[in-house]
């Protein structure tokens, strides 16, 4: 993880030796680049939970005035999912397999929409493993940080017709 943090700082044009190890249970030692409060507790981040890594990276980028960076790294705490709409059948299997809710499938009357939130993706690749169309290249997951994508939040990545029963015509 230290290697990732150093690589992230280099991508932000910063010195990688600025990475230090902190005891997450001791907010008195937290750096002051998050919040502006006067007590050590006010300066700390929500150190865990959904979206914490994305929030911390976006705060750091804002503090350092970094607009746009994409960093692929094996130790990235975040993942970036891409769906090829031509190969994807919008079955929603990827959304069911996603343990963080980063991939979401929403059924509408005539269509299914699959969306992705990079702030929630851990890069575990369970979505890829579960996809019945993965051999056709329907979905890929890369361990990466993409600032533009993080700022945009949840985005539609695939949309298609709702699966219907061939006998009665109702949606499945």
């Amino acid at each position: 993880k230290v290697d990732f943090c150093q690589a992230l700082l280099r991508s932000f044009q910063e010195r990688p030796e600025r990475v230090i190890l902190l005891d997450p249970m001791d907010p008195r030692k937290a750096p002051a680049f998050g919040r502006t409060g006067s007590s050590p507790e006010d300066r700390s981040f929500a150190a865990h939970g959904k979206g914490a890594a994305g929030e911390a990276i976006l705060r750091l980028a804002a503090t350092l005035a970094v607009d746009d960076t994409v960093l692929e790294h094996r130790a990235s705490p975040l993942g970036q999912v891409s769906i090829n709409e031509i190969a994807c059948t919008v079955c929603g299997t990827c959304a069911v397999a996603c343990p963080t809710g980063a991939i979401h499938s929403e059924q509408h009357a005539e269509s299914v929409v699959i969306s992705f939130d990079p702030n929630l993706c851990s890069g575990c690749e369970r979505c890829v493993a579960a996809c019945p169309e993965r051999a056709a290249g329907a979905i890929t997951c890369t361990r990466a940080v993409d600032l533009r994508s993080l700022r945009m939040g949840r985005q539609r990545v695939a949309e298609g017709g709702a699966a219907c029963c061939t006998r009665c015509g109702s949606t499945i």
Side-chain angles (χ1 to χ4, degrees):
K1 306 271 185 207
V2 171
D3 185 48
F4 165 76
C5 293
Q6 290 174 334
L8 184 65
L9 282 177
R10 278 191 293 276
S11 76
F12 289 176
Q13 307 300 313
E14 288 290 323
R15 296 184 341 263
E17 59 271 9
R18 291 184 65 186
V19 174
I20 58 173
L21 296 176
L22 296 174
D23 178 356
M25 303 311 287
D26 187 357
R28 292 173 295 160
K29 296 180 182 176
F33 62 69
R35 299 191 177 136
T36 58
S38 58
S39 73
E41 290 77 15
D42 290 337
R43 293 192 314 258
S44 65
F45 288 103
H48 50 77
K50 287 185 176 182
E55 177 188 352
I57 291 168
L58 286 174
R59 283 186 183 192
L60 179 61
T63 300
L64 299 173
V66 176
D67 290 327
D68 190 28
T69 293
V70 177
L71 173 65
E72 287 187 32
H73 194 280
R74 61 179 161 53
S76 173
L78 299 172
Q80 195 65 37
V81 169
S82 295
I83 294 183
N84 176 341
E85 284 195 84
I86 296 169
C88 177
T89 60
V90 291
C91 68
T93 304
C94 56
V96 172
C98 180
T100 65
I103 301 176
H104 180 74
S105 177
E106 191 172 322
Q107 180 116 16
H108 299 281
E110 301 283 323
S111 67
V112 177
V113 174
I114 296 182
S115 61
F116 172 69
D117 186 343
N119 291 287
L120 301 178
C121 183
S122 65
C124 70
E125 298 188 20
R126 289 183 189 169
C127 55
V128 176
C131 178
E133 306 302 330
R134 71 180 170 273
I139 189 168
T140 59
C141 181
T142 307
R143 285 183 123 1
V145 169
D146 179 339
L147 290 181
R148 182 177 289 141
S149 183
L150 286 173
R151 284 188 189 105
M152 289 182 355
R154 185 167 297 281
Q155 295 289 308
R156 183 194 71 78
V157 291
E159 185 171 0
C164 297
C165 175
T166 56
R167 254 192 214 151
C168 68
S170 64
T171 58
I172 298 174

